[in-house]
Amino acid sequence: SGGKVTVYNYMGVSKQEFKNTEAEGENILLELNDKRMVVATNMGQIKIWDVTRKNWKQIGVPRVFEQNGNLLGEIRQIAVNCDGTKLCILSDTLPAPSLKVPDTKFYIYDVEYDKILEYEVGAHRVPIYCAWDQSDPRFLGVETEFVVGSKEEEEDTGEQDPLYIQKAEKPADGEEEKCYKLFSTFFVTSENGIKEHAKIEYESSDNTLLGINVPCYYISGYSKEQKAETKPEDPVQLIITIQERRFTEYEGLQVELDDDTKKAILNFSASLANGNMDEAYNAVRGIRNVQVWKSLAQLCVKTKRLDVAQILSLIHIS
């Protein structure tokens, strides 16, 4: 029920039960991986359990989703990273009792340091989905959507009122592309906070982000199919698809990458995001795979990072 969580074994037998107090409210979200279970309530409470032992145990006391005593909003999605040290939270602000507005920020709750970080995703964009990498606790993906203010409000005041937010329509053929949906990636650490890694524009047939498992990410989409014997006026059938794509650093790599090489490339990208060129140099200096070097060189060209090209040249010379 809404005020408790019951744990069952594979035989359907109830093994544990966790009840909320009246002040904690009712559960609205539950997120689970192989290390942690996280529950969010309608009172802005966040509760975390260690699920690595036979009897699951709650970690500490519930954390209220607030800063400086002010509730940050109503939690819409919560995602826990692979080692259970950080949560990504998407929420709705509550400017009026009966009005919910998607927050233009996403939030990171650092479990170990008991602090909340925030990140503004950009003008006229709201985060709509978040996912952590399956094996690296630092790597986060956030899907954002382009939004606009109410047309009526703009006409009356010449400005966009943040209380009137609606989804932007996808641009028609020939119109300027507004990047209706974007998928942005970040490195999140207690030491350096939230650092943006990359922005990936969706293709016209893409729908939504499904998950991340470096070197790949997964997108759901659709394709149109019309049988040869059908008439032109017959409706086109939409086929749901799942696309596996590689991040830019790993594009063109045909060989199967070992875990050490994947981690080295990811550490290289993290160091660049943090602006630490010495760490970036050290991260990849031991790589001997020619295809990896070609991929990193192509990355320099695409991102126009001459400073990165200098690092790669130094390693090549040495």
Side-chain angles (χ1 to χ4, degrees), residues 144-205:
T144 66
E145 192 170 58
F146 183 81
V147 294
V148 293
S150 165
K151 292 181 179 179
E152 293 79 9
E153 191 69 13
E154 287 186 69
E155 291 171 359
D156 291 342
T157 64
E159 299 178 353
Q160 292 185 343
D161 190 323
L163 299 186
Y164 295 85
I165 293 182
Q166 60 186 23
K167 292 183 180 180
E169 295 182 358
K170 290 185 178 180
D173 292 340
E175 290 185 359
E176 182 183 357
E177 177 64 62
K178 292 186 176 66
C179 299
Y180 177 71
K181 274 189 176 182
L182 284 177
F183 164 41
S184 299
T185 51
F186 303 87
F187 287 99
V188 183
T189 61
S190 301
E191 298 77 20
N192 297 305
I194 306 169
K195 300 294 183 181
E196 188 176 54
H197 163 248
K199 279 189 173 73
I200 301 169
E201 294 185 14
Y202 280 12
E203 297 176 8
S204 59
S205 60

Side-chain angles (χ1 to χ4, degrees), residues 121-140:
V121 297
H124 305 303
R125 305 203 72 86
V126 295
I128 57 174
Y129 183 72
C130 59
W132 295 91
D133 180 59
Q134 296 294 303
S135 57
D136 194 304
R138 305 167 297 173
F139 199 54
L140 170 69

Side-chain angles (χ1 to χ4, degrees), residues 64-251:
V64 182
F65 183 49
E66 64 179 13
Q67 287 275 45
N68 303 318
N70 298 316
L71 196 64
L72 293 169
E74 184 175 291
I75 299 173
R76 175 165 32 94
Q77 189 204 344
I78 195 163
V80 57
N81 67 350
C82 62
D83 66 1
T85 57
K86 290 176 179 62
L87 311 178
C88 182
I89 301 169
L90 308 186
S91 65
D92 296 323
T93 59
L94 304 170
S98 60
L99 182 62
K100 294 182 183 179
V101 177
D103 199 333
T104 56
K105 302 174 183 176
F106 68 85
Y107 298 87
I108 300 295
Y109 174 45
D110 189 322
V111 178
E112 294 178 313
Y113 289 86
D114 189 30
K115 64 180 181 180
I116 293 178
L117 309 174
E118 61 182 49
Y119 190 95
E120 180 78 47
V121 297
H124 305 303
R125 305 203 72 86
V126 295
I128 57 174
Y129 183 72
C130 59
W132 295 91
D133 180 59
Q134 296 294 303
S135 57
D136 194 304
R138 305 167 297 173
F139 199 54
L140 170 69
V142 178
E143 185 178 69
T144 66
E145 192 170 58
F146 183 81
V147 294
V148 293
S150 165
K151 292 181 179 179
E152 293 79 9
E153 191 69 13
E154 287 186 69
E155 291 171 359
D156 291 342
T157 64
E159 299 178 353
Q160 292 185 343
D161 190 323
L163 299 186
Y164 295 85
I165 293 182
Q166 60 186 23
K167 292 183 180 180
E169 295 182 358
K170 290 185 178 180
D173 292 340
E175 290 185 359
E176 182 183 357
E177 177 64 62
K178 292 186 176 66
C179 299
Y180 177 71
K181 274 189 176 182
L182 284 177
F183 164 41
S184 299
T185 51
F186 303 87
F187 287 99
V188 183
T189 61
S190 301
E191 298 77 20
N192 297 305
I194 306 169
K195 300 294 183 181
E196 188 176 54
H197 163 248
K199 279 189 173 73
I200 301 169
E201 294 185 14
Y202 280 12
E203 297 176 8
S204 59
S205 60
D206 292 341
N207 185 26
T208 191
L209 173 68
L210 295 176
I212 303 172
N213 189 15
V214 171
C216 299
Y217 61 96
Y218 300 87
I219 298 274
S220 71
Y222 62 88
S223 62
K224 296 179 181 180
E225 183 178 276
Q226 193 169 31
K227 296 181 180 179
E229 63 271 14
T230 59
K231 298 177 182 179
E233 61 270 17
D234 290 342
V236 176
Q237 185 179 4
L238 293 180
I239 307 299
I240 302 300
T241 63
I242 296 177
Q243 302 285 335
E244 179 188 80
R245 296 178 188 156
R246 291 203 166 200
F247 289 103
T248 304
E249 297 94 324
Y250 303 91
E251 286 180 354

